[in-house]
Amino acid sequence: MRLSGLITGDRKPLVEWRASHISDPVERLRYLRAATDHAPRPKRRLLVRLPRNWRAYTPLILLGLVFVPGPSTSGSVTVDRPLPLPQRDAHPWTAAVPNVWLVEKAALYETYSNGLRIETQYTAGHRPRKPFPGYSGNLDRPAVRWLSEPRGIVFHTTESLIVPFEPGRTREMLRLGRGLLDYVKSIHAYHFLIDRFGRVFRVVPESDVANHAGPSVWADPENAYVGLNESFLGVAVETQTGEEQTASSGQIHSLRILTEMLRAKYKIPMGNCVTHAQVSVNPGFMKIAYHTDWANRFPYLEVGLTDNYALAPASVAVFGFEYDQVFLQVMSGEPWKGLLRAREQVRQQAAAAGVSVVRYKSALEQRYRKLAAALAIPAATGEKAHANE
Amino acid sequence: MRTNDTALGLDVGTSRIVKAERSGEEYKYSSELNAFVTIPYSKITAGVLEREGIPHSVENGEIVVQGNESEKFADLMNAEIRRTMTSGVLDAKEPESLTQIGRLIESLVGKGKGAKLCFTVPAAPLGHEKNLTYHEATLKQVLGDLGFQAKAINEGQAVVYGELESTNFTGIGISCGGGLCNVCVSYLSVPVMSFSVPKAGDYIDHSAASITGERANRIRIEKEQSFHFNGHYADKVHQVINVYYDDMIRTLVTGLREAFANSRNLPKMNRPVPVVLSGGTALPKGFRDRFETILREQTFPVQISEIRMAANPLHSTAKGALIAALSD
Ligand SMILES: Nc1ncnc2c1ncn2[C@@H]1O[C@H](COP(=O)(O)OP(=O)(O)OP(=O)(O)O)[C@@H](O)[C@H]1O
Ligand SMILES: [Mg+2]
């Protein structure tokens, strides 16, 4: 980052000089904080890098038509290849969509034809979903389709405090569950939350956006998606990603019937029902799995889906992200089948394009940065953990 | 006359919780061990505690001792010490964590009456984010319930606020604690990069314990009382502690190097920047020199002006949190 987003070059020495003449540390910090203007929202400013005259670009940026130079140090690489979207004919994309319908809508709940009951007392509206882009076509000049209905589901874990699942702990679990619901409601964290007992709560209406996915990508045979907050629904299970299987049988049952209902309502293919770990990225490092929710042991088959850990993650296959040691540690050394497949695809595509893997990946990376900048997605995530104040 | 600024800094650490407050020009600190012990109630035990003058409470037929006294009590009763946190965040596997940390915090800070308070939270591990928001939200709620306007601050950033006033809060703050080492690179008070490394005091204790067959607590006491860096160890335990200290420092330095190499978002530091070391694990004599030796083994991506110890390694994070709260 240059200083631009922070303090413009000419003002910097002045700010430093003034600050060093303030003797009280508190006053000095107060002055610097004001001068750098990073409280209370330092992240965006710091992390998105725009051309100096960026205002002139605004309409184009909004249309996604402008290339905002990414912070990549390598020179620009053009690779004239189609976007490597998944093959249409695989089961995750062809399986029939179930048939489920609304049976009753009462003041505090809804019931559905497959036995699903959704509690609605914790629902709070957020920002209505705006049309979002799906990308296809060519690598350098992707075609954009504007879409408005959710295209998939991202499964999360709450990573909240979990006490043993025992009858004697019921009251404690209820208390923790209520606290959690209040919290996720206040930050619009997901569309749905499934509590310890498998009860399904709608937290954000499906017509609105929830803050569930952070920087994230996925792709189906039709489109690639960047920033899944807009395009995917978030479903969280009150549990922790851990050594053992921690979803209770009630939670798994509810995951299954909720997934069925959402797939029916929005015609969602099985392959677009995936875990947060599979879609989350850390653009600052070009690494996958920034979030590790359900990095493994999501009960895909029990939830009535295909084993989507076998799908090539779009982060790697379409956008040139990589995994790292920490990810391998989380996965106990065994990455998803789909991850290995995705890396193989990248190798093959590079060969087909007649460029080295490194060069090809840097072209993929540039495309990610271009699309993310157009959507104003932060270029790095380092401070995100504390971003939701 | 206003002698007391109505703001507090609170370092909520895996091992200790430290409060900082300011009166006039002076900073004051108090701390509690972030731990507790419970044993079944008996008249005899209660009697022993009375005699020894150990403050305790009785709940649901159990005697509970919290904070600084818990160590002495555990020793006396041969009971296990329990902790509310592990690796920098609330321990999800400790069913009492929420209740006990609530009490410990209240005993330190009392009621807030709307006062400002900044508390420390760890950074995510390098390159990743484990969900820390719940930890932060829980502490915020606990403090909110006590009547504070509470805000979180990154632990490494707190080191910078506490120690690097002289460079306009530009530099690298490192806190080597019990559960984690936290790192923050700050530029003119703005945190531009932060991360944590899951190797710190507890890691050294447990690793050394598993190699020597000693109990981790015994290693910890040995480490705190007599370990220092000197290149030659007659004592096997010291030798092993030294091995894991090296391991920790190397991981930290490698992490820092990697973070700089991978980060595309750093401002150009056109002047060499200082590194400040703090936290309980940085206390042994010779730690700074060892850190510097390992750092200088290979070229480092930014120029370092000096590597120094915090003025008071056990208090600098709480002080930084206080300065953040006061400047808000
Ligand atoms: N004199 C000493 N020599 C070596 N280690 C020490 C000494 N005193 C304390 N420690 C170690 O420092 C650690 C605690 O440090 P500190 O209080 O800074 O951590 P914390 O803030 O509670 O933890 P964290 O920041 O990881 O959440 C413990 O592992 C303890 O054994
Ligand atoms: Mg600490």
Side-chain angles (χ1 to χ4, degrees), chain B residues 11-16 120 155 175-180 182 278-280 317:
Chain B
D11 174 18
V12 186
T14 313
S15 321
R16 293 173 321 124
T120 58
E155 172 148 356
S175 159
C176 300
L180 298 170
N182 271 282
S278 79
T317 34

Side-chain angles (χ1 to χ4, degrees), chain A residues 81-105:
Chain A
R81 298 277 302 161
L83 270 179
L85 300 177
Q87 297 289 333
R88 225 167 260 283
D89 50 8
H91 189 54
W93 311 112
T94 55
V97 167
N99 187 14
V100 179
W101 61 92
L102 180 67
V103 172
E104 190 192 5
K105 191 175 164 71

Side-chain angles (χ1 to χ4, degrees), chain B residues 67-106:
Chain B
N68 295 338
E69 299 295 339
S70 61
E71 199 153 47
K72 194 164 154 202
F73 177 60
D75 211 35
L76 209 63
M77 297 292 150
N78 206 11
E80 274 302 320
I81 281 213
R82 287 155 71 182
R83 303 230 210 127
T84 70
M85 284 169 55
T86 176
S87 302
V89 293
L90 280 163
D91 184 355
K93 297 209 172 81
E94 170 52 69
E96 290 292 315
S97 62
L98 209 56
T99 323
Q100 298 296 338
I101 202 165
R103 298 233 178 101
L104 276 164
I105 288 179
E106 182 169 5

